[in-house]
């Protein structure tokens, strides 16, 4: 695990829009800001990137832009999930073709496959694309929960290398470490519990909050990776209200509101997501101030 490049804080990037189109200039600037802030990797076109409302052409273009802009400075884990296995394979193949370092593949949503169905889904991707793949477990959105037993089976496949766990259940990680082996990469997908996740043996977090506060989240994760838990707790206390505030309305609307307040992109989201509710905006701004952002 010491040799894995996939660790630390890895922002789940928003996809900025303007006048109904992807704002490529703003996206490139956001990527540069993240890298300058000290993040350890990038995830384009995940849930936070509104991938479900991007066309395939837009999805692929955003991955290409991210890889080109990062230019090898940090690894890129491209979102490549679908509830169609063939479509997930196509997106993973594209990610590899344009130079992404790995793919993030969500458990198949809506059609609610069995544990065997999920295993076969990831095995098909493993067999079709020579690219490291992270399983993304987010039962609150997908409607299915992949078990540790299924993950243990998947960990034996050469290209399935780790997980983004957005369950917030810290008891799972110890069992995954024991069941999946020391090379299994453990990434939290839940900012508020990332401190505990790291203390339980995690390697990093795929973070929404990093969009808004890359410097602070990088400092937090650097402390955790160094075992400096008192410093990690300091940053946790500064960031925890922002972690929560960015989910006071449907994500990523609050994150885009925060970024717009900082002058970094427009607030625009795509239906069925709507602009951040006026009622929660003061709470978001106060949380930003607590995190050291103006």
């Amino acid at each position: 695990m010491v040799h894995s490049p996939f660790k630390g804080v890895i922002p789940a990037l928003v996809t900025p829009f303007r006048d109904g189109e992807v704002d490529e200039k703003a996206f490139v600037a956001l990527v540069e800001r993240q890298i300058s802030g000290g993040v350890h990797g990038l995830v384009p076109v995940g849930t936070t990137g509104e991938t479900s409302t991007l066309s395939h052409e837009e999805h692929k273009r955003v991955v290409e832009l991210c890889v080109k802009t990062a230019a090898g400075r940090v690894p890129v884990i491209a979102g490549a999930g679908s509830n169609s296995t063939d479509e997930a394979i196509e997106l993973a193949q594209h990610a590899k073709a344009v130079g992404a370092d790995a793919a993030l593949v969500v458990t198949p949503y809506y059609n609610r496959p069995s544990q065997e169905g999920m295993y076969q889904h990831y095995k098909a991707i493993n067999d079709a694309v020579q690219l490291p793949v992270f399983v993304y477990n987010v039962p609150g959105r997908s409607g299915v929960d992949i078990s540790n037993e299924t993950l243990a089976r998947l960990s034996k496949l050469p290209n399935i290398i780790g997980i983004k766990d957005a369950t917030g259940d810290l008891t799972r990680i110890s069992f995954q470490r024991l069941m999946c082996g020391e090379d299994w990469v453990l990434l939290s997908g839940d900012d508020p519990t990332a401190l505990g996740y790291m203390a339980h043996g995690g390697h990093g977090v795929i973070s929404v909050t990093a969009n808004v506060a890359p410097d602070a989240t990088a400092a937090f994760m650097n402390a955790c990776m160094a075992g400096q838990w008192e410093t990690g707790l300091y940053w946790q206390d500064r960031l925890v209200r922002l972690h929560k505030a960015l989910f006071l309305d449907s994500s990523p609307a609050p994150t885009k509101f925060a970024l717009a307040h900082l002058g970094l992109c427009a607030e625009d989201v795509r239906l069925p997501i709507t602009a951040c509710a006026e009622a929660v905006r003061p709470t978001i701004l106060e949380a930003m101030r607590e995190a050291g952002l103006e």
Side-chain angles (χ1 to χ4, degrees):
M1 179 55 233
V2 174
H3 304 294
S4 172
F6 307 109
K7 58 189 175 183
V9 64
I10 306 170
L13 297 166
V14 301
T15 303
F17 302 123
R18 186 174 294 277
D19 300 324
E21 303 293 330
V22 174
D23 187 342
E24 295 190 0
K25 182 178 179 181
F27 179 78
V28 168
L30 288 175
V31 169
E32 289 290 356
R33 177 174 180 260
Q34 293 297 316
I35 295 173
S36 295
V39 304
H40 306 93
L42 300 164
V43 172
V45 290
T47 306
T48 308
E50 294 175 86
T51 184
S52 59
T53 51
L54 296 179
S55 69
H56 279 194
E57 291 72 21
E58 288 172 327
H59 178 116
K60 293 175 179 178
R61 175 60 178 160
V62 171
V63 172
E64 290 177 32
L65 270 179
C66 188
V67 170
K68 180 179 178 181
T69 306
R73 289 175 288 174
V74 295
V76 174
I77 307 172
S82 174
N83 61 346
S84 161
T85 302
D86 286 346
E87 185 173 281
I89 288 171
E90 178 192 346
L91 293 174
Q93 287 173 332
H94 174 267
K96 178 178 174 61
V98 299
D101 299 282
L104 179 66
V105 179
V106 69
T107 50
Y109 41 86
Y110 187 74
N111 40 20
R112 301 184 69 180
S114 65
Q115 294 297 316
E116 181 63 22
M118 285 187 277
Y119 174 81
Q120 294 296 338
H121 175 76
Y122 287 104
K123 184 178 184 300
I125 299 167
N126 171 87
D127 294 347
V129 190
Q130 295 303 304
L131 183 71
V133 170
F134 284 91
V135 176
Y136 177 17
N137 191 31
V138 56
R141 288 182 180 270
S142 66
V144 289
D145 187 355
I146 193 164
S147 69
N148 280 348
E149 289 74 17
T150 301
L151 292 171
R153 292 177 68 195
L154 288 171
S155 71
K156 294 177 174 61
L157 300 175
N159 296 318
I160 312 298
I161 68 163
I163 189 166
K164 174 187 176 182
D165 187 333
T167 66
D169 179 356
L170 297 181
T171 64
R172 294 180 177 224
I173 185 170
S174 293
F175 288 101
Q176 280 184 42
R177 285 194 296 106
L178 295 169
M179 296 167 69
C180 297
E182 63 181 15
D183 291 332
W184 186 248
V185 185
L186 292 152
L187 301 177
S188 171
D190 184 57
D191 278 303
T193 60
L195 177 62
Y197 195 89
M198 293 297 289
H200 278 258
H203 303 116
V205 59
I206 294 178
S207 170
V208 173
T209 304
N211 280 284
V212 182
D215 303 71
T217 53
F220 161 71
M221 191 51 59
N222 285 332
C224 291
M225 289 192 293
Q228 297 170 353
W229 301 113
E230 187 173 338
T231 303
L233 186 60
Y234 164 80
W235 286 109
Q236 171 79 357
D237 289 349
R238 286 193 66 174
L239 290 166
V240 68
R241 286 188 173 85
L242 184 58
H243 294 332
K244 288 294 189 181
L246 295 180
F247 286 87
L248 290 174
D249 200 353
S250 295
S251 182
T255 302
K256 284 191 166 180
F257 163 70
L259 291 171
H261 179 76
L262 295 172
L264 298 170
C265 70
E267 286 186 52
D268 301 21
V269 288
R270 281 188 178 168
L271 289 171
I273 304 297
T274 55
C276 185
E278 293 290 341
V280 304
R281 294 184 179 213
T283 304
I284 296 167
L285 293 174
E286 178 58 31
M288 290 172 67
R289 284 189 287 272
E290 284 195 22
L293 297 160
E294 295 298 330

